[in-house]
Amino acid sequence: KWIIPIQVGAILYKERIATILDCNGEHISEKNGNYSELTALYWIWKNQLVHNLENNASYYGLCHYRRILDISEDDLFRLISNEVDVILPYPMLYEPNIEEHHKRYLKDEDWQAVLMVLKELQPKYAQVFPEILKQRYFYNYNIIIAKKEVLREYCEWLFPILERVENLSIPKGSERKDRYIGYIAETLETLYFMANKERLQIVYTGCKFLS
């Protein structure tokens, strides 16, 4: 009952499979080939967390087509009483570390663009990034549930970084459709919430995989 479908990349297709489209309102629907599920997160940010201020929902989040956080309705009712800021999937183990794992999915030029943009836009996070990259635990899939203000703050941090990475990428983001921004965002989600683990009340749960 609490999951509302959003069709992503809707501007690219005539077929409609959901009532809410990521091409309505303020959007980046046309970038779905690179951003993947993040075009839905962008839509939520701009159209629910920023402009739709009369909406009284306390928590928002994102799961996608076959990856869903394993939580019950009872769990949701406990969020406020337990002062939970964020629900994330259990971190997955990658050997030898996060950096080597994501180099398998990203070109060297894209990886260097990420490091350059963090130094440019978020120097405090750039300082802790090398240490986090050497860890073996990683938050996969870009799925999350968070307090409205926490998710808004995260999106305000995340999307300017991704947009700048697109501009520095070789080839540029507009010239490709290989989901690389989605992969980068997983690394950035790991960076952001590991860097803020002392400030935020973060809890974890499993992830259901639907066939």
Side-chain angles (χ1 to χ4, degrees), residues 37-48:
E37 63 276 348
L38 294 174
T39 60
L41 183 60
Y42 186 96
W43 186 91
I44 293 168
W45 172 37
K46 290 296 187 179
N47 299 285
Q48 296 294 312

Side-chain angles (χ1 to χ4, degrees), residues 95-132:
E95 296 288 357
N97 55 43
I98 296 172
E99 183 172 19
E100 291 302 317
H101 165 66
H102 259 272
K103 283 183 177 179
R104 301 167 193 163
Y105 295 92
L106 297 173
K107 300 175 183 178
D108 286 343
E109 294 87 350
D110 297 329
W111 189 249
Q112 292 306 314
V114 173
L115 301 177
M116 188 182 306
V117 171
L118 281 173
K119 291 177 182 178
E120 176 186 326
L121 299 183
Q122 295 289 343
K124 290 183 180 179
Y125 286 88
Q127 289 177 4
V128 299
F129 199 30
E131 179 183 347
I132 288 176

Side-chain angles (χ1 to χ4, degrees), residues 88-102 104 111 128-141 185-195 197 204:
L88 293 172
Y90 288 122
M92 294 185 69
L93 177 65
Y94 287 99
E95 296 288 357
N97 55 43
I98 296 172
E99 183 172 19
E100 291 302 317
H101 165 66
H102 259 272
R104 301 167 193 163
W111 189 249
V128 299
F129 199 30
E131 179 183 347
I132 288 176
L133 287 173
K134 297 306 179 185
Q135 297 185 31
R136 296 181 296 164
Y137 294 97
F138 184 77
Y139 299 132
N140 265 322
Y141 313 128
E186 288 181 310
T187 301
L188 293 176
E189 182 181 80
T190 301
L191 166 62
Y192 184 85
F193 288 105
M194 284 191 175
K197 63 184 179 181
Y204 304 95

Side-chain angles (χ1 to χ4, degrees), residues 12-210:
L12 305 173
Y13 304 97
K14 293 182 179 179
E15 184 180 4
R16 295 293 176 247
I17 58 174
T19 303
I20 298 178
L21 311 176
D22 73 346
C23 60
N24 292 334
E26 194 169 346
H27 68 83
I28 54 170
S29 180
E30 70 281 356
K31 295 183 178 183
N32 184 255
N34 289 329
Y35 277 68
S36 200
E37 63 276 348
L38 294 174
T39 60
L41 183 60
Y42 186 96
W43 186 91
I44 293 168
W45 172 37
K46 290 296 187 179
N47 299 285
Q48 296 294 312
L49 307 183
V50 176
H51 298 308
N52 190 14
L53 300 179
E54 70 274 9
N55 193 319
N56 293 320
S58 299
Y59 288 83
Y60 285 84
L62 176 70
C63 57
H64 46 92
Y65 78 107
R66 63 186 182 90
R67 299 183 178 103
I68 298 175
L69 289 173
D70 188 9
I71 54 178
S72 68
E73 240 176 294
D74 288 340
D75 293 329
L76 293 176
F77 287 128
R78 297 189 187 101
L79 292 179
I80 295 176
S81 61
N82 286 282
E83 298 182 350
V84 172
D85 290 310
V86 185
I87 307 177
L88 293 172
Y90 288 122
M92 294 185 69
L93 177 65
Y94 287 99
E95 296 288 357
N97 55 43
I98 296 172
E99 183 172 19
E100 291 302 317
H101 165 66
H102 259 272
K103 283 183 177 179
R104 301 167 193 163
Y105 295 92
L106 297 173
K107 300 175 183 178
D108 286 343
E109 294 87 350
D110 297 329
W111 189 249
Q112 292 306 314
V114 173
L115 301 177
M116 188 182 306
V117 171
L118 281 173
K119 291 177 182 178
E120 176 186 326
L121 299 183
Q122 295 289 343
K124 290 183 180 179
Y125 286 88
Q127 289 177 4
V128 299
F129 199 30
E131 179 183 347
I132 288 176
L133 287 173
K134 297 306 179 185
Q135 297 185 31
R136 296 181 296 164
Y137 294 97
F138 184 77
Y139 299 132
N140 265 322
Y141 313 128
N142 291 316
I143 54 178
I144 182 175
I145 294 175
K147 283 182 178 177
K148 183 176 183 177
E149 60 272 20
V150 172
L151 190 60
R152 182 173 60 235
E153 184 180 84
Y154 171 56
C155 289
E156 289 169 351
W157 178 89
L158 174 68
F159 284 104
I161 296 173
L162 298 179
E163 182 179 7
R164 181 67 176 140
V165 168
E166 280 187 283
N167 293 333
L168 295 178
S169 298
I170 304 174
K172 292 184 181 298
S174 59
E175 300 169 358
R176 59 202 282 189
K177 291 180 175 62
D178 57 5
R179 298 175 60 191
Y180 81 110
I181 291 293
Y183 291 127
I184 289 169
E186 288 181 310
T187 301
L188 293 176
E189 182 181 80
T190 301
L191 166 62
Y192 184 85
F193 288 105
M194 284 191 175
N196 288 286
K197 63 184 179 181
E198 302 300 327
R199 179 174 67 88
L200 297 172
Q201 174 71 2
I202 302 173
V203 299
Y204 304 95
T205 188
C207 185
K208 292 181 179 180
F209 293 86
L210 306 179

